Amino acid sequence: MPTIVHEFAWPDRVVVGTVGLPGSRRFYLQARTGAHLISIGLDKQHAAVLADAVDEMLDELRAREGNPFGIPTDTPIELVDNEPLEQPLTEEFTTGAMSLVWDPSTVQIVIEAHQAPGEIESFAEILTGPKEPQGLLLVRMPVGTARAFAKRTHEVVGAGRPLCPLCGSPIDPDGHVCTFPDGP
């Protein structure tokens, strides 16, 4: 089956955001150039790993002799984006595999998000591949935008449920399995 590629070479906006309350939030990666908007679903873990990988890649590039690419150490204030996800929020696909690459020719970080495979309906589909076209999101971000993207994503991921000091698991609003001597 063919792959449907959604490419954003110099996006006006690229963010991770959520819908829902902590404990039942749904994470989205959203990119927009002009009126062209796409939202793809992803796991909280995907978002966290992606933000870590972006920061790590930028830090490694910055550490190169003479920092030839002008990699910022902090998020440029003019690139901070704390706005909610754009509407209408229509999930194009759910992310399966993701990759991150550096393009020195354009001095951009490139995110590749591949659609998660659907359920296999028959043995023949295993041999021939999926019946439906698969989605691929390609987002190319300049280094300052990438630093801002990682910062926001870390904040969004960290804004969930508080962690239990005893077991380290998230504490649900309706209770938790650990008990404290003087209450929760």
Side-chain angles (χ1 to χ4, degrees), residues 8 11 13-17 28-32 37-40 42 84-90 137 139 149 152:
F8 293 80
R13 185 173 195 225
V14 56
V15 295
V16 167
Y28 294 93
L29 171 59
Q30 193 173 70
R32 179 181 53 78
L37 174 69
I38 189 168
S39 303
I40 62 170
L42 70 161
L85 292 170
E86 296 187 35
Q87 300 297 321
L89 193 135
T90 304
L137 174 63
V139 179
F149 171 85
R152 176 191 166 117

mmCIF file with all atom_site columns, all heavy atoms in Angstrom, residues 8 11 13-17 28-32 37-40 42 84-90 137 139 149 152:
data_model
loop_
_atom_site.group_PDB
_atom_site.id
_atom_site.type_symbol
_atom_site.label_atom_id
_atom_site.label_alt_id
_atom_site.label_comp_id
_atom_site.label_asym_id
_atom_site.label_entity_id
_atom_site.label_seq_id
_atom_site.pdbx_PDB_ins_code
_atom_site.Cartn_x
_atom_site.Cartn_y
_atom_site.Cartn_z
_atom_site.occupancy
_atom_site.B_iso_or_equiv
_atom_site.pdbx_formal_charge
_atom_site.auth_seq_id
_atom_site.auth_comp_id
_atom_site.auth_asym_id
_atom_site.auth_atom_id
_atom_site.pdbx_PDB_model_num
ATOM 1   N N   . PHE A 1 8   ? 6.081   18.903 6.701  1.00 0.00 ? 8   PHE A N   1
ATOM 2   C CA  . PHE A 1 8   ? 6.140   20.293 7.136  1.00 0.00 ? 8   PHE A CA  1
ATOM 3   C C   . PHE A 1 8   ? 7.612   20.686 7.162  1.00 0.00 ? 8   PHE A C   1
ATOM 4   O O   . PHE A 1 8   ? 8.351   20.307 8.063  1.00 0.00 ? 8   PHE A O   1
ATOM 5   C CB  . PHE A 1 8   ? 5.515   20.453 8.530  1.00 0.00 ? 8   PHE A CB  1
ATOM 6   C CG  . PHE A 1 8   ? 4.033   20.205 8.539  1.00 0.00 ? 8   PHE A CG  1
ATOM 7   C CD1 . PHE A 1 8   ? 3.529   18.908 8.564  1.00 0.00 ? 8   PHE A CD1 1
ATOM 8   C CD2 . PHE A 1 8   ? 3.145   21.266 8.489  1.00 0.00 ? 8   PHE A CD2 1
ATOM 9   C CE1 . PHE A 1 8   ? 2.168   18.670 8.551  1.00 0.00 ? 8   PHE A CE1 1
ATOM 10  C CE2 . PHE A 1 8   ? 1.771   21.036 8.481  1.00 0.00 ? 8   PHE A CE2 1
ATOM 11  C CZ  . PHE A 1 8   ? 1.284   19.732 8.511  1.00 0.00 ? 8   PHE A CZ  1
ATOM 12  N N   . PRO A 1 11  ? 7.647   24.567 9.605  1.00 0.00 ? 11  PRO A N   1
ATOM 13  C CA  . PRO A 1 11  ? 6.314   24.766 10.178 1.00 0.00 ? 11  PRO A CA  1
ATOM 14  C C   . PRO A 1 11  ? 6.192   26.094 10.927 1.00 0.00 ? 11  PRO A C   1
ATOM 15  O O   . PRO A 1 11  ? 7.145   26.585 11.526 1.00 0.00 ? 11  PRO A O   1
ATOM 16  C CB  . PRO A 1 11  ? 6.167   23.590 11.138 1.00 0.00 ? 11  PRO A CB  1
ATOM 17  C CG  . PRO A 1 11  ? 7.558   23.200 11.487 1.00 0.00 ? 11  PRO A CG  1
ATOM 18  C CD  . PRO A 1 11  ? 8.375   23.490 10.266 1.00 0.00 ? 11  PRO A CD  1
ATOM 19  N N   . ARG A 1 13  ? 4.114   26.212 13.351 1.00 0.00 ? 13  ARG A N   1
ATOM 20  C CA  . ARG A 1 13  ? 3.928   25.728 14.718 1.00 0.00 ? 13  ARG A CA  1
ATOM 21  C C   . ARG A 1 13  ? 4.087   24.221 14.745 1.00 0.00 ? 13  ARG A C   1
ATOM 22  O O   . ARG A 1 13  ? 3.583   23.522 13.875 1.00 0.00 ? 13  ARG A O   1
ATOM 23  C CB  . ARG A 1 13  ? 2.528   26.106 15.212 1.00 0.00 ? 13  ARG A CB  1
ATOM 24  C CG  . ARG A 1 13  ? 2.294   25.751 16.663 1.00 0.00 ? 13  ARG A CG  1
ATOM 25  C CD  . ARG A 1 13  ? 0.959   26.295 17.147 1.00 0.00 ? 13  ARG A CD  1
ATOM 26  N NE  . ARG A 1 13  ? 0.917   26.261 18.595 1.00 0.00 ? 13  ARG A NE  1
ATOM 27  C CZ  . ARG A 1 13  ? -0.109  25.827 19.298 1.00 0.00 ? 13  ARG A CZ  1
ATOM 28  N NH1 . ARG A 1 13  ? -1.215  25.426 18.691 1.00 0.00 ? 13  ARG A NH1 1
ATOM 29  N NH2 . ARG A 1 13  ? -0.062  25.818 20.618 1.00 0.00 ? 13  ARG A NH2 1
ATOM 30  N N   . VAL A 1 14  ? 4.778   23.719 15.769 1.00 0.00 ? 14  VAL A N   1
ATOM 31  C CA  . VAL A 1 14  ? 4.859   22.283 16.031 1.00 0.00 ? 14  VAL A CA  1
ATOM 32  C C   . VAL A 1 14  ? 4.919   22.111 17.541 1.00 0.00 ? 14  VAL A C   1
ATOM 33  O O   . VAL A 1 14  ? 5.802   22.661 18.200 1.00 0.00 ? 14  VAL A O   1
ATOM 34  C CB  . VAL A 1 14  ? 6.048   21.600 15.296 1.00 0.00 ? 14  VAL A CB  1
ATOM 35  C CG1 . VAL A 1 14  ? 7.374   22.244 15.631 1.00 0.00 ? 14  VAL A CG1 1
ATOM 36  C CG2 . VAL A 1 14  ? 6.075   20.114 15.573 1.00 0.00 ? 14  VAL A CG2 1
ATOM 37  N N   . VAL A 1 15  ? 3.925   21.387 18.090 1.00 0.00 ? 15  VAL A N   1
ATOM 38  C CA  . VAL A 1 15  ? 3.800   21.242 19.538 1.00 0.00 ? 15  VAL A CA  1
ATOM 39  C C   . VAL A 1 15  ? 3.264   19.864 19.899 1.00 0.00 ? 15  VAL A C   1
ATOM 40  O O   . VAL A 1 15  ? 2.631   19.201 19.081 1.00 0.00 ? 15  VAL A O   1
ATOM 41  C CB  . VAL A 1 15  ? 2.864   22.309 20.156 1.00 0.00 ? 15  VAL A CB  1
ATOM 42  C CG1 . VAL A 1 15  ? 3.430   23.709 19.999 1.00 0.00 ? 15  VAL A CG1 1
ATOM 43  C CG2 . VAL A 1 15  ? 1.462   22.217 19.589 1.00 0.00 ? 15  VAL A CG2 1
ATOM 44  N N   . VAL A 1 16  ? 3.502   19.487 21.145 1.00 0.00 ? 16  VAL A N   1
ATOM 45  C CA  . VAL A 1 16  ? 2.812   18.357 21.757 1.00 0.00 ? 16  VAL A CA  1
ATOM 46  C C   . VAL A 1 16  ? 1.857   18.947 22.775 1.00 0.00 ? 16  VAL A C   1
ATOM 47  O O   . VAL A 1 16  ? 2.212   19.868 23.518 1.00 0.00 ? 16  VAL A O   1
ATOM 48  C CB  . VAL A 1 16  ? 3.800   17.379 22.428 1.00 0.00 ? 16  VAL A CB  1
ATOM 49  C CG1 . VAL A 1 16  ? 3.070   16.388 23.328 1.00 0.00 ? 16  VAL A CG1 1
ATOM 50  C CG2 . VAL A 1 16  ? 4.600   16.624 21.375 1.00 0.00 ? 16  VAL A CG2 1
ATOM 51  N N   . GLY A 1 17  ? 0.631   18.443 22.788 1.00 0.00 ? 17  GLY A N   1
ATOM 52  C CA  . GLY A 1 17  ? -0.370  18.895 23.741 1.00 0.00 ? 17  GLY A CA  1
ATOM 53  C C   . GLY A 1 17  ? -1.273  17.736 24.118 1.00 0.00 ? 17  GLY A C   1
ATOM 54  O O   . GLY A 1 17  ? -1.127  16.627 23.592 1.00 0.00 ? 17  GLY A O   1
ATOM 55  N N   . TYR A 1 28  ? -1.131  14.479 21.724 1.00 0.00 ? 28  TYR A N   1
ATOM 56  C CA  . TYR A 1 28  ? -1.126  14.744 20.291 1.00 0.00 ? 28  TYR A CA  1
ATOM 57  C C   . TYR A 1 28  ? 0.139   15.502 19.907 1.00 0.00 ? 28  TYR A C   1
ATOM 58  O O   . TYR A 1 28  ? 0.592   16.373 20.646 1.00 0.00 ? 28  TYR A O   1
ATOM 59  C CB  . TYR A 1 28  ? -2.334  15.591 19.874 1.00 0.00 ? 28  TYR A CB  1
ATOM 60  C CG  . TYR A 1 28  ? -3.640  14.881 20.054 1.00 0.00 ? 28  TYR A CG  1
ATOM 61  C CD1 . TYR A 1 28  ? -4.360  15.030 21.236 1.00 0.00 ? 28  TYR A CD1 1
ATOM 62  C CD2 . TYR A 1 28  ? -4.141  14.043 19.065 1.00 0.00 ? 28  TYR A CD2 1
ATOM 63  C CE1 . TYR A 1 28  ? -5.556  14.362 21.429 1.00 0.00 ? 28  TYR A CE1 1
ATOM 64  C CE2 . TYR A 1 28  ? -5.334  13.365 19.246 1.00 0.00 ? 28  TYR A CE2 1
ATOM 65  C CZ  . TYR A 1 28  ? -6.040  13.531 20.433 1.00 0.00 ? 28  TYR A CZ  1
ATOM 66  O OH  . TYR A 1 28  ? -7.225  12.853 20.605 1.00 0.00 ? 28  TYR A OH  1
ATOM 67  N N   . LEU A 1 29  ? 0.664   15.183 18.745 1.00 0.00 ? 29  LEU A N   1
ATOM 68  C CA  . LEU A 1 29  ? 1.706   15.964 18.093 1.00 0.00 ? 29  LEU A CA  1
ATOM 69  C C   . LEU A 1 29  ? 0.992   16.716 16.986 1.00 0.00 ? 29  LEU A C   1
ATOM 70  O O   . LEU A 1 29  ? 0.325   16.108 16.148 1.00 0.00 ? 29  LEU A O   1
ATOM 71  C CB  . LEU A 1 29  ? 2.800   15.060 17.528 1.00 0.00 ? 29  LEU A CB  1
ATOM 72  C CG  . LEU A 1 29  ? 3.858   15.702 16.630 1.00 0.00 ? 29  LEU A CG  1
ATOM 73  C CD1 . LEU A 1 29  ? 4.616   16.802 17.352 1.00 0.00 ? 29  LEU A CD1 1
ATOM 74  C CD2 . LEU A 1 29  ? 4.832   14.643 16.133 1.00 0.00 ? 29  LEU A CD2 1
ATOM 75  N N   . GLN A 1 30  ? 1.108   18.046 17.023 1.00 0.00 ? 30  GLN A N   1
ATOM 76  C CA  . GLN A 1 30  ? 0.379   18.864 16.069 1.00 0.00 ? 30  GLN A CA  1
ATOM 77  C C   . GLN A 1 30  ? 1.361   19.757 15.319 1.00 0.00 ? 30  GLN A C   1
ATOM 78  O O   . GLN A 1 30  ? 2.248   20.357 15.919 1.00 0.00 ? 30  GLN A O   1
ATOM 79  C CB  . GLN A 1 30  ? -0.649  19.714 16.819 1.00 0.00 ? 30  GLN A CB  1
ATOM 80  C CG  . GLN A 1 30  ? -1.676  20.365 15.950 1.00 0.00 ? 30  GLN A CG  1
ATOM 81  C CD  . GLN A 1 30  ? -2.760  21.039 16.776 1.00 0.00 ? 30  GLN A CD  1
ATOM 82  O OE1 . GLN A 1 30  ? -2.502  22.040 17.420 1.00 0.00 ? 30  GLN A OE1 1
ATOM 83  N NE2 . GLN A 1 30  ? -3.961  20.472 16.742 1.00 0.00 ? 30  GLN A NE2 1
ATOM 84  N N   . ALA A 1 31  ? 1.196   19.833 14.007 1.00 0.00 ? 31  ALA A N   1
ATOM 85  C CA  . ALA A 1 31  ? 2.031   20.694 13.165 1.00 0.00 ? 31  ALA A CA  1
ATOM 86  C C   . ALA A 1 31  ? 1.121   21.515 12.261 1.00 0.00 ? 31  ALA A C   1
ATOM 87  O O   . ALA A 1 31  ? 0.076   21.027 11.811 1.00 0.00 ? 31  ALA A O   1
ATOM 88  C CB  . ALA A 1 31  ? 2.994   19.859 12.328 1.00 0.00 ? 31  ALA A CB  1
ATOM 89  N N   . ARG A 1 32  ? 1.568   22.768 12.016 1.00 0.00 ? 32  ARG A N   1
ATOM 90  C CA  . ARG A 1 32  ? 0.786   23.646 11.147 1.00 0.00 ? 32  ARG A CA  1
ATOM 91  C C   . ARG A 1 32  ? 1.713   24.533 10.340 1.00 0.00 ? 32  ARG A C   1
ATOM 92  O O   . ARG A 1 32  ? 2.681   25.085 10.839 1.00 0.00 ? 32  ARG A O   1
ATOM 93  C CB  . ARG A 1 32  ? -0.151  24.535 11.951 1.00 0.00 ? 32  ARG A CB  1
ATOM 94  C CG  . ARG A 1 32  ? -0.971  25.487 11.063 1.00 0.00 ? 32  ARG A CG  1
ATOM 95  C CD  . ARG A 1 32  ? -1.889  26.399 11.835 1.00 0.00 ? 32  ARG A CD  1
ATOM 96  N NE  . ARG A 1 32  ? -1.230  27.156 12.884 1.00 0.00 ? 32  ARG A NE  1
ATOM 97  C CZ  . ARG A 1 32  ? -0.489  28.242 12.715 1.00 0.00 ? 32  ARG A CZ  1
ATOM 98  N NH1 . ARG A 1 32  ? -0.263  28.697 11.490 1.00 0.00 ? 32  ARG A NH1 1
ATOM 99  N NH2 . ARG A 1 32  ? 0.042   28.859 13.744 1.00 0.00 ? 32  ARG A NH2 1
ATOM 100 N N   . LEU A 1 37  ? -3.018  21.938 8.747  1.00 0.00 ? 37  LEU A N   1
ATOM 101 C CA  . LEU A 1 37  ? -2.902  21.497 10.128 1.00 0.00 ? 37  LEU A CA  1
ATOM 102 C C   . LEU A 1 37  ? -3.054  19.990 10.189 1.00 0.00 ? 37  LEU A C   1
ATOM 103 O O   . LEU A 1 37  ? -3.922  19.422 9.531  1.00 0.00 ? 37  LEU A O   1
ATOM 104 C CB  . LEU A 1 37  ? -3.997  22.162 10.973 1.00 0.00 ? 37  LEU A CB  1
ATOM 105 C CG  . LEU A 1 37  ? -4.133  21.719 12.428 1.00 0.00 ? 37  LEU A CG  1
ATOM 106 C CD1 . LEU A 1 37  ? -2.937  22.194 13.244 1.00 0.00 ? 37  LEU A CD1 1
ATOM 107 C CD2 . LEU A 1 37  ? -5.434  22.269 13.018 1.00 0.00 ? 37  LEU A CD2 1
ATOM 108 N N   . ILE A 1 38  ? -2.200  19.345 10.983 1.00 0.00 ? 38  ILE A N   1
ATOM 109 C CA  . ILE A 1 38  ? -2.339  17.901 11.215 1.00 0.00 ? 38  ILE A CA  1
ATOM 110 C C   . ILE A 1 38  ? -2.118  17.623 12.696 1.00 0.00 ? 38  ILE A C   1
ATOM 111 O O   . ILE A 1 38  ? -1.286  18.260 13.345 1.00 0.00 ? 38  ILE A O   1
ATOM 112 C CB  . ILE A 1 38  ? -1.370  17.069 10.352 1.00 0.00 ? 38  ILE A CB  1
ATOM 113 C CG1 . ILE A 1 38  ? -1.702  15.572 10.469 1.00 0.00 ? 38  ILE A CG1 1
ATOM 114 C CG2 . ILE A 1 38  ? 0.067   17.338 10.733 1.00 0.00 ? 38  ILE A CG2 1
ATOM 115 C CD1 . ILE A 1 38  ? -1.006  14.692 9.459  1.00 0.00 ? 38  ILE A CD1 1
ATOM 116 N N   . SER A 1 39  ? -2.891  16.678 13.197 1.00 0.00 ? 39  SER A N   1
ATOM 117 C CA  . SER A 1 39  ? -2.756  16.212 14.572 1.00 0.00 ? 39  SER A CA  1
ATOM 118 C C   . SER A 1 39  ? -2.645  14.695 14.528 1.00 0.00 ? 39  SER A C   1
ATOM 119 O O   . SER A 1 39  ? -3.478  14.034 13.901 1.00 0.00 ? 39  SER A O   1
ATOM 120 C CB  . SER A 1 39  ? -3.978  16.606 15.408 1.00 0.00 ? 39  SER A CB  1
ATOM 121 O OG  . SER A 1 39  ? -4.178  17.993 15.389 1.00 0.00 ? 39  SER A OG  1
ATOM 122 N N   . ILE A 1 40  ? -1.619  14.160 15.192 1.00 0.00 ? 40  ILE A N   1
ATOM 123 C CA  . ILE A 1 40  ? -1.474  12.711 15.275 1.00 0.00 ? 40  ILE A CA  1
ATOM 124 C C   . ILE A 1 40  ? -1.410  12.317 16.743 1.00 0.00 ? 40  ILE A C   1
ATOM 125 O O   . ILE A 1 40  ? -0.866  13.046 17.571 1.00 0.00 ? 40  ILE A O   1
ATOM 126 C CB  . ILE A 1 40  ? -0.242  12.187 14.498 1.00 0.00 ? 40  ILE A CB  1
ATOM 127 C CG1 . ILE A 1 40  ? 1.062   12.744 15.069 1.00 0.00 ? 40  ILE A CG1 1
ATOM 128 C CG2 . ILE A 1 40  ? -0.373  12.499 13.013 1.00 0.00 ? 40  ILE A CG2 1
ATOM 129 C CD1 . ILE A 1 40  ? 2.297   12.085 14.499 1.00 0.00 ? 40  ILE A CD1 1
ATOM 130 N N   . LEU A 1 42  ? -0.227  10.133 20.007 1.00 0.00 ? 42  LEU A N   1
ATOM 131 C CA  . LEU A 1 42  ? 0.967   9.426  20.442 1.00 0.00 ? 42  LEU A CA  1
ATOM 132 C C   . LEU A 1 42  ? 0.863   9.134  21.922 1.00 0.00 ? 42  LEU A C   1
ATOM 133 O O   . LEU A 1 42  ? 0.059   9.749  22.638 1.00 0.00 ? 42  LEU A O   1
ATOM 134 C CB  . LEU A 1 42  ? 2.248   10.196 20.126 1.00 0.00 ? 42  LEU A CB  1
ATOM 135 C CG  . LEU A 1 42  ? 2.591   11.466 20.879 1.00 0.00 ? 42  LEU A CG  1
ATOM 136 C CD1 . LEU A 1 42  ? 4.087   11.750 20.707 1.00 0.00 ? 42  LEU A CD1 1
ATOM 137 C CD2 . LEU A 1 42  ? 1.837   12.650 20.336 1.00 0.00 ? 42  LEU A CD2 1
ATOM 138 N N   . PRO A 1 84  ? -2.923  26.434 23.689 1.00 0.00 ? 84  PRO A N   1
ATOM 139 C CA  . PRO A 1 84  ? -3.514  25.092 23.576 1.00 0.00 ? 84  PRO A CA  1
ATOM 140 C C   . PRO A 1 84  ? -3.416  24.560 22.146 1.00 0.00 ? 84  PRO A C   1
ATOM 141 O O   . PRO A 1 84  ? -3.091  25.305 21.215 1.00 0.00 ? 84  PRO A O   1
ATOM 142 C CB  . PRO A 1 84  ? -4.973  25.311 23.989 1.00 0.00 ? 84  PRO A CB  1
ATOM 143 C CG  . PRO A 1 84  ? -5.232  26.762 23.793 1.00 0.00 ? 84  PRO A CG  1
ATOM 144 C CD  . PRO A 1 84  ? -3.901  27.463 23.963 1.00 0.00 ? 84  PRO A CD  1
ATOM 145 N N   . LEU A 1 85  ? -3.725  23.292 22.006 1.00 0.00 ? 85  LEU A N   1
ATOM 146 C CA  . LEU A 1 85  ? -3.766  22.690 20.676 1.00 0.00 ? 85  LEU A CA  1
ATOM 147 C C   . LEU A 1 85  ? -4.797  23.430 19.830 1.00 0.00 ? 85  LEU A C   1
ATOM 148 O O   . LEU A 1 85  ? -5.799  23.931 20.333 1.00 0.00 ? 85  LEU A O   1
ATOM 149 C CB  . LEU A 1 85  ? -4.144  21.209 20.763 1.00 0.00 ? 85  LEU A CB  1
ATOM 150 C CG  . LEU A 1 85  ? -3.110  20.298 21.415 1.00 0.00 ? 85  LEU A CG  1
ATOM 151 C CD1 . LEU A 1 85  ? -3.703  18.909 21.655 1.00 0.00 ? 85  LEU A CD1 1
ATOM 152 C CD2 . LEU A 1 85  ? -1.856  20.210 20.572 1.00 0.00 ? 85  LEU A CD2 1
ATOM 153 N N   . GLU A 1 86  ? -4.535  23.495 18.526 1.00 0.00 ? 86  GLU A N   1
ATOM 154 C CA  . GLU A 1 86  ? -5.440  24.192 17.622 1.00 0.00 ? 86  GLU A CA  1
ATOM 155 C C   . GLU A 1 86  ? -6.648  23.315 17.301 1.00 0.00 ? 86  GLU A C   1
ATOM 156 O O   . GLU A 1 86  ? -6.572  22.087 17.300 1.00 0.00 ? 86  GLU A O   1
ATOM 157 C CB  . GLU A 1 86  ? -4.694  24.582 16.344 1.00 0.00 ? 86  GLU A CB  1
ATOM 158 C CG  . GLU A 1 86  ? -3.585  25.582 16.638 1.00 0.00 ? 86  GLU A CG  1
ATOM 159 C CD  . GLU A 1 86  ? -2.917  26.127 15.402 1.00 0.00 ? 86  GLU A CD  1
ATOM 160 O OE1 . GLU A 1 86  ? -3.602  26.308 14.371 1.00 0.00 ? 86  GLU A OE1 1
ATOM 161 O OE2 . GLU A 1 86  ? -1.708  26.380 15.470 1.00 0.00 ? 86  GLU A OE2 1
ATOM 162 N N   . GLN A 1 87  ? -7.751  23.977 17.018 1.00 0.00 ? 87  GLN A N   1
ATOM 163 C CA  . GLN A 1 87  ? -8.996  23.306 16.695 1.00 0.00 ? 87  GLN A CA  1
ATOM 164 C C   . GLN A 1 87  ? -9.318  23.537 15.225 1.00 0.00 ? 87  GLN A C   1
ATOM 165 O O   . GLN A 1 87  ? -8.933  24.565 14.684 1.00 0.00 ? 87  GLN A O   1
ATOM 166 C CB  . GLN A 1 87  ? -10.115 23.850 17.587 1.00 0.00 ? 87  GLN A CB  1
ATOM 167 C CG  . GLN A 1 87  ? -9.875  23.650 19.059 1.00 0.00 ? 87  GLN A CG  1
ATOM 168 C CD  . GLN A 1 87  ? -9.807  22.188 19.462 1.00 0.00 ? 87  GLN A CD  1
ATOM 169 O OE1 . GLN A 1 87  ? -10.557 21.355 18.952 1.00 0.00 ? 87  GLN A OE1 1
ATOM 170 N NE2 . GLN A 1 87  ? -8.900  21.854 20.362 1.00 0.00 ? 87  GLN A NE2 1
ATOM 171 N N   . PRO A 1 88  ? -9.992  22.679 14.539 1.00 0.00 ? 88  PRO A N   1
ATOM 172 C CA  . PRO A 1 88  ? -10.532 21.433 15.066 1.00 0.00 ? 88  PRO A CA  1
ATOM 173 C C   . PRO A 1 88  ? -9.425  20.390 15.230 1.00 0.00 ? 88  PRO A C   1
ATOM 174 O O   . PRO A 1 88  ? -8.514  20.311 14.408 1.00 0.00 ? 88  PRO A O   1
ATOM 175 C CB  . PRO A 1 88  ? -11.522 20.992 13.991 1.00 0.00 ? 88  PRO A CB  1
ATOM 176 C CG  . PRO A 1 88  ? -10.982 21.570 12.720 1.00 0.00 ? 88  PRO A CG  1
ATOM 177 C CD  . PRO A 1 88  ? -10.303 22.858 13.120 1.00 0.00 ? 88  PRO A CD  1
ATOM 178 N N   . LEU A 1 89  ? -9.521  19.628 16.287 1.00 0.00 ? 89  LEU A N   1
ATOM 179 C CA  . LEU A 1 89  ? -8.531  18.592 16.555 1.00 0.00 ? 89  LEU A CA  1
ATOM 180 C C   . LEU A 1 89  ? -9.077  17.274 16.011 1.00 0.00 ? 89  LEU A C   1
ATOM 181 O O   . LEU A 1 89  ? -9.976  16.683 16.594 1.00 0.00 ? 89  LEU A O   1
ATOM 182 C CB  . LEU A 1 89  ? -8.251  18.479 18.051 1.00 0.00 ? 89  LEU A CB  1
ATOM 183 C CG  . LEU A 1 89  ? -7.010  17.652 18.332 1.00 0.00 ? 89  LEU A CG  1
ATOM 184 C CD1 . LEU A 1 89  ? -6.149  18.343 19.368 1.00 0.00 ? 89  LEU A CD1 1
ATOM 185 C CD2 . LEU A 1 89  ? -7.362  16.274 18.786 1.00 0.00 ? 89  LEU A CD2 1
ATOM 186 N N   . THR A 1 90  ? -8.560  16.878 14.880 1.00 0.00 ? 90  THR A N   1
ATOM 187 C CA  . THR A 1 90  ? -8.948  15.628 14.234 1.00 0.00 ? 90  THR A CA  1
ATOM 188 C C   . THR A 1 90  ? -7.700  14.779 14.108 1.00 0.00 ? 90  THR A C   1
ATOM 189 O O   . THR A 1 90  ? -6.745  15.180 13.437 1.00 0.00 ? 90  THR A O   1
ATOM 190 C CB  . THR A 1 90  ? -9.548  15.894 12.832 1.00 0.00 ? 90  THR A CB  1
ATOM 191 O OG1 . THR A 1 90  ? -10.637 16.810 12.975 1.00 0.00 ? 90  THR A OG1 1
ATOM 192 C CG2 . THR A 1 90  ? -10.024 14.615 12.191 1.00 0.00 ? 90  THR A CG2 1
ATOM 193 N N   . LEU A 1 137 ? 4.328   11.295 9.079  1.00 0.00 ? 137 LEU A N   1
ATOM 194 C CA  . LEU A 1 137 ? 4.475   12.719 9.324  1.00 0.00 ? 137 LEU A CA  1
ATOM 195 C C   . LEU A 1 137 ? 5.956   13.048 9.362  1.00 0.00 ? 137 LEU A C   1
ATOM 196 O O   . LEU A 1 137 ? 6.716   12.430 10.103 1.00 0.00 ? 137 LEU A O   1
ATOM 197 C CB  . LEU A 1 137 ? 3.825   13.117 10.658 1.00 0.00 ? 137 LEU A CB  1
ATOM 198 C CG  . LEU A 1 137 ? 4.034   14.566 11.103 1.00 0.00 ? 137 LEU A CG  1
ATOM 199 C CD1 . LEU A 1 137 ? 3.403   15.542 10.118 1.00 0.00 ? 137 LEU A CD1 1
ATOM 200 C CD2 . LEU A 1 137 ? 3.482   14.772 12.502 1.00 0.00 ? 137 LEU A CD2 1
ATOM 201 N N   . VAL A 1 139 ? 8.385   16.304 10.008 1.00 0.00 ? 139 VAL A N   1
ATOM 202 C CA  . VAL A 1 139 ? 8.439   17.685 10.471 1.00 0.00 ? 139 VAL A CA  1
ATOM 203 C C   . VAL A 1 139 ? 9.898   18.095 10.572 1.00 0.00 ? 139 VAL A C   1
ATOM 204 O O   . VAL A 1 139 ? 10.689  17.460 11.271 1.00 0.00 ? 139 VAL A O   1
ATOM 205 C CB  . VAL A 1 139 ? 7.754   17.862 11.851 1.00 0.00 ? 139 VAL A CB  1
ATOM 206 C CG1 . VAL A 1 139 ? 7.844   19.312 12.308 1.00 0.00 ? 139 VAL A CG1 1
ATOM 207 C CG2 . VAL A 1 139 ? 6.313   17.392 11.803 1.00 0.00 ? 139 VAL A CG2 1
ATOM 208 N N   . PHE A 1 149 ? 10.284  23.225 21.272 1.00 0.00 ? 149 PHE A N   1
ATOM 209 C CA  . PHE A 1 149 ? 9.433   22.039 21.195 1.00 0.00 ? 149 PHE A CA  1
ATOM 210 C C   . PHE A 1 149 ? 9.745   21.082 22.343 1.00 0.00 ? 149 PHE A C   1
ATOM 211 O O   . PHE A 1 149 ? 8.844   20.580 23.013 1.00 0.00 ? 149 PHE A O   1
ATOM 212 C CB  . PHE A 1 149 ? 9.641   21.341 19.843 1.00 0.00 ? 149 PHE A CB  1
ATOM 213 C CG  . PHE A 1 149 ? 8.972   20.003 19.729 1.00 0.00 ? 149 PHE A CG  1
ATOM 214 C CD1 . PHE A 1 149 ? 7.636   19.914 19.356 1.00 0.00 ? 149 PHE A CD1 1
ATOM 215 C CD2 . PHE A 1 149 ? 9.667   18.836 19.994 1.00 0.00 ? 149 PHE A CD2 1
ATOM 216 C CE1 . PHE A 1 149 ? 7.011   18.682 19.256 1.00 0.00 ? 149 PHE A CE1 1
ATOM 217 C CE2 . PHE A 1 149 ? 9.060   17.596 19.896 1.00 0.00 ? 149 PHE A CE2 1
ATOM 218 C CZ  . PHE A 1 149 ? 7.727   17.518 19.528 1.00 0.00 ? 149 PHE A CZ  1
ATOM 219 N N   . ARG A 1 152 ? 8.568   22.560 25.826 1.00 0.00 ? 152 ARG A N   1
ATOM 220 C CA  . ARG A 1 152 ? 7.118   22.461 26.012 1.00 0.00 ? 152 ARG A CA  1
ATOM 221 C C   . ARG A 1 152 ? 6.697   21.008 26.225 1.00 0.00 ? 152 ARG A C   1
ATOM 222 O O   . ARG A 1 152 ? 5.863   20.715 27.075 1.00 0.00 ? 152 ARG A O   1
ATOM 223 C CB  . ARG A 1 152 ? 6.381   23.040 24.801 1.00 0.00 ? 152 ARG A CB  1
ATOM 224 C CG  . ARG A 1 152 ? 4.857   22.865 24.936 1.00 0.00 ? 152 ARG A CG  1
ATOM 225 C CD  . ARG A 1 152 ? 4.130   23.170 23.658 1.00 0.00 ? 152 ARG A CD  1
ATOM 226 N NE  . ARG A 1 152 ? 2.764   22.699 23.706 1.00 0.00 ? 152 ARG A NE  1
ATOM 227 C CZ  . ARG A 1 152 ? 1.699   23.475 23.638 1.00 0.00 ? 152 ARG A CZ  1
ATOM 228 N NH1 . ARG A 1 152 ? 1.836   24.782 23.535 1.00 0.00 ? 152 ARG A NH1 1
ATOM 229 N NH2 . ARG A 1 152 ? 0.483   22.956 23.654 1.00 0.00 ? 152 ARG A NH2 1
#
